[in-house]
Amino acid sequence: MNWTVPQVSPLMGDEELVGLAGSVERAWLTEGPMCEQFRGLLAERTGAKHAILAPNGTLALFLGLLALDLPPGSEVLVPSFTFFASASAVVFAGHVPVFVDVDPTTYNVDVTDLERHLTPKVRAIMPVHVYGHAAPMRGVSKFAAAHDLLVIEDAAQGFGVEYFGRHLGTIGDVGIISFFADKTITTGEGAVVLTDDDERARRLRLLRNQGRQHSGTFVHEELGMNFRITDMQAAVGVAQMARADEIIDGRRARYAGFVERLGHIEDLGLLQVEEGSTLVPFRFTLRSERRDELVTALERSGVQTRGFFYPLHLQPPLVRFSRGPLPVAEELSRTGLCLPIHDGVTPEVIDAIGEVIEETLASAPVA
Ligand SMILES: *Cc1c(COP(=O)(O)O)cnc(C)c1O
């Protein structure tokens, strides 16, 4: 289908093209000067001591988990309401995800649901910052300290978001941010692993580059693989960093436009931003008992919608890790709806979306 308003549309322009052309002109396509520059910009922006590039957010989580050096078969607390990769990375790293429930209005991990999932094998927790604001990191950090757990933050959607003044991904022992095409800034595929710990950073560099600190040597200190990216991606990343604030401001303005247009409509649930967190909207999210009717009506009008995450503890390849129902994650996946928030979402589009929603909710419910 040809959407009038697609779900995703990255903001890019001549600067990205010029950056790409530079890589081709230098004939330096593998990791080189642009990767170096991109890493520097990321460390500066996030305040992390070490910013280590990775091919995508999924592999960044995998690397981050390996760098935690947990005993094989350790259990890791993971919210059930997140993207599949949060848990698949845990499994591929040789560990066991233990799913926990989330808060019904912030959609992030419910700190009060952690205790009952503790076992002697739980060694780490993965707070996930969904939809552009922070998980309750004060509570998570306190819980982790009390139970001697390491913290790996999935801040895939969290570029630009701060929690009590700290950039997401720099609060736990290690954190990751994704640069997939639908994230706040993008390199197509790509990600960064953040840590302040020198030894973990060293380990990450070895893991990502065949067990060597530098390419060009054939003596390998350790087992590693190839998790490098290209200078072409980093060139796009550097250009995206230069327009990051423009992207963030635009998203916030459109979010405010949505809240103004939709906020008063009864029976629509909106995201509650976590206390102490800024918001860099990832989508405009809604909850409604009549979600399916809204999807049909919006898509008929050319607006591509997307549902919420499907609970991980119910996913066919993960259900074997399930330890029982997690009602909030299940409820959110039934009632949640994402609207696009990219720069194609003009005030006219927001108004038209508002009209479709109002009309649908005013009609008699479809049984
Ligand atoms: C996008 C995303 C990932 C995975 O990142 P990729 O770069 O697509 O591999 C992981 N977790 C969350 C919460 C995400 O949104």
Side-chain angles (χ1 to χ4, degrees):
M1 169 141 188
N2 240 332
W3 301 104
T4 321
V5 187
Q7 179 75 198
V8 173
S9 169
L11 184 61
M12 288 187 291
D14 288 345
E15 292 81 355
E16 282 78 0
L17 275 177
V18 169
L20 279 173
S23 291
V24 174
E25 279 158 14
R26 274 189 297 281
W28 195 334
L29 306 183
T30 57
E31 291 199 344
M34 299 316 290
C35 283
E36 180 78 30
Q37 200 179 329
F38 190 33
R39 277 196 293 109
L41 291 170
L42 288 168
E44 187 183 302
R45 173 101 195 191
T46 60
K49 186 165 178 197
H50 303 281
I52 291 147
L53 299 174
N56 54 61
T58 307
L59 290 174
L61 284 171
F62 176 65
L63 284 170
L65 285 157
L66 294 183
L68 292 184
D69 211 15
L70 307 172
S74 293
E75 295 180 343
V76 181
L77 299 172
V78 180
S80 179
F81 188 76
T82 171
F83 185 58
F84 186 76
S86 307
S88 66
V90 170
V91 177
F92 277 103
H95 305 305
V96 175
V98 174
F99 296 115
V100 300
D101 214 348
V102 294
D103 181 276
T105 58
T106 67
Y107 315 150
N108 283 320
V109 62
D110 176 358
V111 178
T112 67
D113 195 49
L114 295 174
E115 190 93 34
R116 72 180 177 112
H117 296 284
L118 269 181
T119 75
K121 290 176 105 179
V122 174
R123 297 296 175 92
I125 177 167
M126 182 189 290
V128 183
H129 310 284
V130 299
Y131 298 133
H133 75 136
M137 290 305 290
R138 284 192 169 168
V140 167
S141 304
K142 204 168 144 200
F143 183 84
H147 301 284
D148 209 10
L149 310 181
L150 293 172
V151 178
I152 174 167
E153 293 178 70
D154 180 345
Q157 306 179 358
F159 180 84
V161 181
E162 291 184 357
Y163 179 73
F164 291 104
R166 291 173 74 177
H167 198 289
L168 297 189
T170 68
I171 302 163
D173 295 285
V174 39
I176 74 102
I177 300 172
S178 165
F179 306 123
F180 183 65
D182 73 342
K183 307 301 203 251
T184 302
I185 64 162
T186 182
T187 55
E189 301 279 357
V192 66
V193 187
L194 305 171
T195 184
D196 284 346
D197 184 289
D198 296 341
E199 181 46 34
R200 285 204 179 95
R202 196 187 74 88
R203 188 83 206 295
L204 284 163
R205 285 190 203 100
L206 292 174
L207 284 166
R208 73 187 297 280
N209 189 26
Q210 313 278 17
R212 309 172 290 194
Q213 286 289 354
H214 303 286
S215 296
T217 164
F218 291 106
V219 180
H220 302 251
E221 281 176 55
E222 228 184 83
L223 272 178
M225 289 187 82
N226 181 348
F227 295 99
R228 299 184 305 257
I229 69 164
T230 69
D231 235 32
M232 299 175 282
Q233 290 165 283
V236 172
V238 168
Q240 288 274 289
M241 287 297 283
R243 66 167 92 247
D245 289 317
E246 174 200 350
I247 293 172
I248 290 169
D249 292 348
R251 283 181 177 232
R252 284 181 173 153
R254 292 185 289 275
Y255 195 92
F258 269 121
V259 171
E260 193 180 317
R261 183 64 184 80
L262 306 180
H264 68 278
I265 301 179
E266 248 178 89
D267 304 325
L268 281 187
L270 303 192
L271 171 81
Q272 167 103 39
V273 178
E274 180 67 27
E275 189 198 338
S277 177
T278 63
L279 176 71
V280 177
F282 180 69
R283 296 289 197 277
F284 190 79
T285 59
L286 286 178
R287 284 170 284 123
S288 168
E289 285 299 321
R290 298 178 69 183
R291 191 266 312 265
D292 295 348
E293 292 167 67
L294 291 177
V295 167
T296 306
L298 286 162
E299 301 223 324
R300 201 181 293 133
S301 78
V303 177
Q304 187 180 21
T305 64
R306 195 158 286 173
F308 273 14
F309 299 117
Y310 187 66
L312 298 192
H313 67 286
L314 302 179
Q315 299 276 357
L318 297 174
V319 71
R320 67 192 162 106
F321 300 111
S322 172
R323 295 177 187 183
L326 297 168
V328 179
E330 290 165 30
E331 169 84 1
L332 288 176
S333 94
R334 189 176 65 75
T335 59
L337 170 65
C338 289
L339 295 170
I341 197 153
H342 53 74
D343 71 320
V345 180
T346 59
E348 293 71 36
V349 167
I350 292 173
D351 197 49
I353 288 174
E355 258 165 55
V356 171
I357 291 176
E358 279 171 343
E359 247 170 55
T360 307
L361 296 181
S363 68
V366 180

